[in-house]
Amino acid sequence: MAAGFGSRMVPVTLNTPKPLIKVCGKRIIETLLDAVIAAGIQDITIVRGYLGEQFDVLLKKYPMIKFIENPIYNESNNISSAYLMRDLVENAYVMESDLVLYNPDIIRKYEYTSNYTGMKVDVTDDWCFETKNGIITKVKVGGKGVHHMFGISYWTKEDGIQLRKDLDTVFHMPGGKERYWDEVPLKDCIDHYAIRVRPVFEGDVVEIDTYNELKQIDPVYNV
């Protein structure tokens, strides 16, 4: 999912989509693509919007990529990207493209349960999961003794079929276009699923939200 503007990464996103920003010499999205391909997955689709034509640069290294255009990325939340790719979520990973993946082994060709990656933390002010017996019971912003949420999820065939229906329903509800897509299976329709949290650990994956965070990771931006 790579359609958004990345407003908190200004000024570097003024002329470049956030997923194509380089971190330590490598584009953010390439850390995900390389892991996917190393796992033996060749069926790859990118939902693009802001400065979408720039993603064509990836085709030289990754000629198997297909694109879905999101013409309403600036009129809705990221549920619009999920809605546009809703027919592709059976036996599939869904990834947000602002993640720098340092541990490619997180991506495996075969998963047997629907799951979201999360890191156990004492406290966070970011998006996180509450869990019971390994099953996600609530998604929220901020908490103690929770799993910090990372935007890498996997969906079985059965759950992918259900997710397709739920995305269609919620997207067309009043206010539905303002939802984060994760709220569909983890909040609005959580009773339809039993989604496991898949543990990741410090340093496995880093989410870059702001320009200041980018500068902390890659000193080349400290100018």
Side-chain angles (χ1 to χ4, degrees):
M1 298 175 62
F5 173 57
S7 58
R8 290 188 291 171
M9 289 279 281
V10 170
V12 290
T13 51
L14 289 175
N15 299 303
T16 305
K18 184 178 178 181
L20 298 181
I21 298 297
K22 289 188 176 181
V23 177
C24 300
K26 189 172 187 176
R27 295 182 182 94
I28 293 174
I29 198 171
E30 288 189 70
T31 67
L32 299 168
L33 293 171
D34 287 347
V36 166
I37 290 170
I41 301 169
Q42 294 284 320
D43 187 358
I44 303 168
T45 301
I46 295 175
V47 185
R48 62 184 181 178
Y50 174 65
L51 298 177
E53 70 282 352
Q54 291 194 22
F55 286 90
D56 287 346
V57 71
L58 298 171
L59 293 172
K60 183 175 181 180
K61 183 178 179 182
Y62 312 100
M64 73 292 291
I65 288 176
K66 299 180 287 291
F67 294 109
I68 292 177
E69 312 296 333
N70 182 352
I72 60 170
Y73 71 91
N74 60 341
E75 303 170 14
S76 65
N77 216 321
N78 68 2
I79 190 175
S80 62
S81 289
Y83 173 76
L84 289 168
M85 67 177 190
R86 66 192 183 282
D87 293 332
L88 304 176
V89 293
E90 299 172 32
N91 293 327
Y93 281 100
V94 177
M95 304 183 188
E96 296 178 10
S97 57
D98 59 353
L99 302 171
V100 180
L101 187 61
Y102 289 109
N103 180 4
D105 291 338
I106 289 173
I107 308 303
R108 304 179 295 210
K109 190 169 186 178
Y110 299 105
E111 293 287 323
Y112 302 99
T113 61
S114 296
N115 60 72
Y116 266 84
T117 52
M119 182 176 68
K120 187 71 173 179
V121 293
D122 293 328
V123 63
T124 181
D125 58 2
D126 211 330
W127 284 91
C128 58
F129 307 125
E130 291 182 4
T131 62
K132 182 177 182 180
N133 298 323
I135 302 295
I136 297 171
T137 56
K138 186 176 182 179
V139 63
K140 61 181 183 176
V141 178
K144 296 181 179 180
V146 292
H147 282 83
H148 177 100
M149 174 183 179
F150 291 105
I152 298 175
S153 59
Y154 183 86
W155 302 90
T156 63
K157 181 177 182 179
E158 181 181 25
D159 285 342
I161 292 170
Q162 184 63 51
L163 183 57
R164 181 174 71 234
K165 298 175 184 176
D166 291 339
L167 283 167
D168 185 68
T169 299
V170 175
F171 184 73
H172 290 102
M173 287 170 48
K177 294 180 177 61
E178 304 306 314
R179 296 285 209 287
Y180 289 101
W181 89 271
D182 315 86
E183 293 180 284
V184 176
L186 298 179
K187 183 180 179 180
D188 297 300
C189 306
I190 193 169
D191 292 343
H192 297 170
Y193 307 91
I195 304 169
R196 304 195 68 84
V197 62
R198 184 176 166 202
V200 295
F201 303 95
E202 186 77 35
D204 282 346
V205 57
V206 174
E207 183 176 1
I208 303 178
D209 288 323
T210 67
Y211 184 53
N212 283 334
E213 291 174 356
L214 176 64
K215 291 193 291 184
Q216 292 172 16
I217 293 173
D218 189 344
V220 74
Y221 294 100
N222 286 308
V223 295

